[in-house]
Amino acid sequence: GLAIVVSTVIFPICCHWAWHPDGFLKQAGFVDLAGATVVHVLGGSSAFAAVLFIGPRLGWHGKLVPPQYACVQHTLQLSHKAFGGENINSLVGAVILLFGWLAFNASSTAKIHIDNAQAVGHVAFITLVAGSTGLITVVLHNAAFERYISVLQAGSGLLAGLVSVTASAHVIEAYEAIPIAICTSLCALKAATICRSYRIDDPIGVLPVHLVGGALASLVPALFGHEICHINFPDGAHLGLL
């Protein structure tokens, strides 16, 4: 039900605001290449509302299992282990998303064609640099401070890096994408810790990656952007205020 409402009602409205020539955000100079705000912040905030409404899974971090479910408690424990993120499938899924992200961001330049090859290549390269930086940042952080490598957090670092340039891959250079991805992935790590401390059950890290990462990514064009690929710029686009 939530997916239907978001995809058929809320998402089209946000798309109109941000991307349609008559949208008030577009007319105000808002820049979002591939949906850091429209896709990730919207999806992350919807997920946040859902987890608050549904609550944590039975048996998760001490949540009591009602007597009528006692017979399946072992199954619940296996479910927490399987969907807690600490398995190689999480990282494989993140890598699959990486390939989709390359195509999605690149195609957001309006078209993939020889006439647009420079813009497509630039966006794909920035996307790959940011994703790789996010992954490496989290792995090094875990190795240095946690003394172990978390598969879930490594995958989340990759995705946070990808999200970090979703709005701005066409208006930043690689040397700018690296610190942006580092900051976003570290903020996502901290957000995941805060979620756990408040007993918010987010098995695969949607809130840190998409809500927090998307919110930070939405600020990048306005703060650090400058015209590189002459595409997708609304009249009076606000770029590089810093």
Side-chain angles (χ1 to χ4, degrees):
L2 176 63
I4 294 174
V5 172
V6 171
S7 60
T8 61
V9 179
I10 302 175
F11 179 67
I13 293 174
C14 294
C15 286
H16 183 274
W17 288 348
W19 289 331
H20 192 276
D22 295 331
F24 81 95
L25 289 176
K26 185 82 168 182
Q27 292 184 342
F30 179 70
V31 175
D32 185 359
L33 174 67
T37 301
V38 177
V39 176
H40 297 288
V41 172
L42 173 60
S45 56
S46 300
F48 188 32
V51 296
L52 291 180
F53 179 76
I54 296 171
R57 292 163 290 171
L58 295 176
W60 183 78
H61 282 209
K63 182 174 180 179
L64 297 178
V65 178
Q68 63 267 32
Y69 295 114
C71 59
V72 295
Q73 186 164 2
H74 179 65
T75 303
L76 291 172
Q77 292 172 348
L78 292 177
S79 171
H80 297 165
K81 183 177 180 180
F83 295 101
E86 294 304 329
N87 60 74
I88 195 63
N89 292 335
S90 301
L91 190 56
V92 171
V95 172
I96 293 173
L97 285 172
L98 166 62
F99 287 100
W101 228 292
L102 289 171
F104 187 78
N105 278 11
S107 64
S108 295
T109 59
K111 61 181 179 179
I112 297 181
H113 189 269
I114 188 65
D115 297 336
N116 201 36
Q118 183 178 0
V120 170
H122 179 85
V123 169
F125 176 65
I126 295 299
T127 301
L128 188 58
V129 167
S132 303
T133 300
L135 173 62
I136 293 170
T137 298
V138 171
V139 168
L140 293 178
H141 177 275
N142 280 355
F145 298 104
E146 307 294 342
R147 303 299 182 185
Y148 77 99
I149 306 299
S150 166
V151 174
L152 173 62
Q153 291 181 355
S156 294
L158 170 62
L159 298 180
L162 294 171
V163 171
S164 71
V165 296
T166 297
S168 59
H170 60 323
V171 295
I172 60 173
E173 298 283 4
Y175 68 85
E176 296 168 309
I178 291 173
I180 289 168
I182 290 173
C183 292
T184 304
S185 59
L186 292 177
C187 287
L189 267 183
K190 181 62 177 178
T193 302
I194 293 173
C195 285
R196 288 192 296 271
S197 67
Y198 281 92
R199 300 174 61 80
I200 297 173
D201 186 7
D202 182 8
I204 57 174
V206 170
L207 304 184
V209 169
H210 297 283
L211 181 55
V212 175
L216 294 175
S218 300
L219 301 175
V220 172
L223 296 178
F224 307 108
H226 44 96
E227 289 196 26
I228 300 171
C229 306
H230 298 281
I231 52 173
N232 241 14
F233 293 116
D235 294 334
H238 296 299
L239 297 173
L241 299 182
L242 296 182

